[in-house]
Amino acid sequence: MLIRTIIEVDYLKKKDLIILIPIIAVIILSFVLLYIYTAKNGDKVVVMSDNEILCEYSLNDNIDEFIRTDYGFNHLVINDGNVLVTEADCKSQVCVNTGCINNKGQLIVCLPHRLCISIE
Amino acid sequence: MNKINIKKLTFLAMMLCIASVLGYLEAIIPINIGIPGIKLGLANIVSLIVLFSLGWKEGLIVGFLRVILVGLLFSDLSVIIYSLTGFILSYFTMTLLYNFKAFSVILVSVVGALCHNLGQFAIASLLIGFRVMIIYLPFLLVAALFSGLLTGFLSSIILRKLGSIMSNFS
């Protein structure tokens, strides 16, 4: 038989709630923890790669720098409290497409270069 | 004797093709909602359909080949490790839940999406740094919940249509 005949495809079943409710509870809890965690931190721009801190800047600085890792470069600009990556030599360009970040807890990630720029 | 079922082979090849195109679409159209790297996971619709209609082995083959193909064609080689970890973790959890037969397609899809993002979170923590990625985790989870609901809903619509067509077909 090619395809097992699919007789009933319910959109949601009652037993789903056993798993769905804990999932939603965990998500809400994680946001509460995130709020507590980020509330006490300052205005620091941290650049991390390969599990270590490459460099730190203040959000108030004006910076125009090329961050070079073993995998390539990312052009980091900090201007008037806005952090952005203007260019990078990776294929995905996720970091460039993220645009500006300016609030605590926001991130710019470049997976191919194993790079992460965050405001803490 | 193990005879190759041509209908099944064609169906799986078509599914792999659809999955790859969906993966490509997601790679060229970035969704910018303030969270970097978030995708809808449309290709997971295909994994869900094959898992629920044919079984876990077929779904694993189609999904694995899709991850490798999309990774080689449309993104960096180094990113394959993220998608592969996410896929394997989510696929095995989905298979486990599917075997209980008590849960709907939507729930299986939501849990799969959550596991996919958790797998990627684990790899990113190792390669980039746990300290920054932990801030990102709640957003990943909530994104997984909504994208999982969407892909699960789409998959159940398709499975309903497919059921009536395919039972005549074989």
Side-chain angles (χ1 to χ4, degrees):
Chain A
M1 195 172 68
L2 177 62
I3 301 275
R4 269 180 231 148
T5 38
I6 306 129
I7 311 134
E8 5 104 46
V9 180
D10 294 332
Y11 284 129
L12 273 172
K13 292 179 184 172
K14 250 186 182 161
K15 283 185 182 163
D16 290 354
L17 292 176
I18 304 170
I19 294 182
L20 211 54
I21 288 171
I23 288 174
I24 293 170
V26 166
I27 290 174
I28 292 169
L29 184 73
S30 70
F31 270 100
V32 173
L33 289 176
L34 176 77
Y35 183 76
I36 296 166
Y37 180 75
T38 52
K40 59 183 181 214
N41 291 317
D43 291 343
K44 224 169 35 171
V45 179
V46 181
V47 181
M48 276 191 98
S49 177
D50 275 344
N51 233 334
E52 52 194 52
I53 295 170
L54 278 187
C55 42
E56 283 185 20
Y57 305 101
S58 164
L59 200 57
N60 305 315
D61 294 346
N62 282 333
I63 279 155
D64 191 319
E65 241 174 74
F66 285 88
I67 297 167
R68 289 179 196 284
T69 56
D70 298 344
Y71 315 101
F73 76 85
N74 294 66
H75 187 185
L76 172 74
V77 175
I78 305 176
N79 193 8
D80 293 332
N82 291 314
V83 183
L84 68 152
V85 173
T86 52
E87 55 180 320
D89 61 346
C90 62
K91 211 170 164 187
S92 67
Q93 297 288 310
V94 168
C95 51
V96 179
N97 288 327
T98 304
C100 279
I101 60 168
N102 43 34
N103 282 318
K104 267 183 259 180
Q106 284 188 306
L107 294 180
I108 297 176
V109 187
C110 183
L111 293 183
H113 297 169
R114 301 186 183 180
L115 193 80
C116 180
I117 300 156
S118 62
I119 305 179
E120 295 185 8
Chain B
M1 205 179 90
N2 221 344
K3 221 176 80 180
I4 298 168
N5 188 333
I6 302 291
K7 279 180 183 173
K8 193 168 147 184
L9 192 70
T10 318
F11 180 74
L12 288 178
M14 200 175 72
M15 283 295 149
L16 176 59
C17 176
I18 293 170
S20 305
V21 170
L22 288 175
Y24 174 58
L25 274 178
E26 286 191 322
I28 56 167
I29 308 169
I31 314 163
N32 205 334
I33 48 163
I35 313 169
I38 290 296
K39 287 198 292 186
L40 281 174
L42 291 175
N44 198 39
I45 294 175
V46 176
S47 303
L48 276 168
I49 290 168
V50 179
L51 171 67
F52 273 81
S53 60
L54 279 169
W56 72 273
K57 272 184 224 149
E58 286 81 357
L60 184 66
I61 294 164
V62 169
F64 183 78
L65 288 176
R66 180 256 301 172
V67 169
I68 299 292
L69 263 178
V70 173
L72 284 176
L73 289 172
F74 311 121
S75 65
D76 292 70
L77 206 63
S78 59
V79 182
I80 287 185
I81 187 170
Y82 287 91
S83 31
L84 204 58
T85 317
F87 168 72
I88 289 171
L89 200 63
S90 79
Y91 193 77
F92 280 101
T93 327
M94 292 199 301
T95 309
L96 196 72
L97 282 177
Y98 165 68
N99 282 332
F100 282 120
K101 308 275 181 202
F103 304 112
S104 68
V105 182
I106 295 180
L107 183 97
V108 173
S109 163
V110 168
V111 176
L114 282 168
C115 287
H116 184 272
N117 283 6
L118 281 175
Q120 296 202 321
F121 164 77
I123 294 289
S125 301
L126 284 175
L127 295 184
I128 298 169
F130 181 73
R131 210 168 64 92
V132 284
M133 293 317 290
I134 194 80
I135 304 171
Y136 192 31
L137 185 61
F139 298 103
L140 278 178
L141 292 181
V142 80
L145 178 67
F146 286 109
S147 62
L149 283 173
L150 179 75
T151 53
F153 181 62
L154 291 173
S155 306
S156 23
I157 294 173
I158 296 167
L159 277 169
R160 282 182 166 197
K161 307 264 185 211
L162 204 65
S164 54
I165 295 167
M166 285 319 219
S167 50
N168 298 330
F169 186 62
S170 65

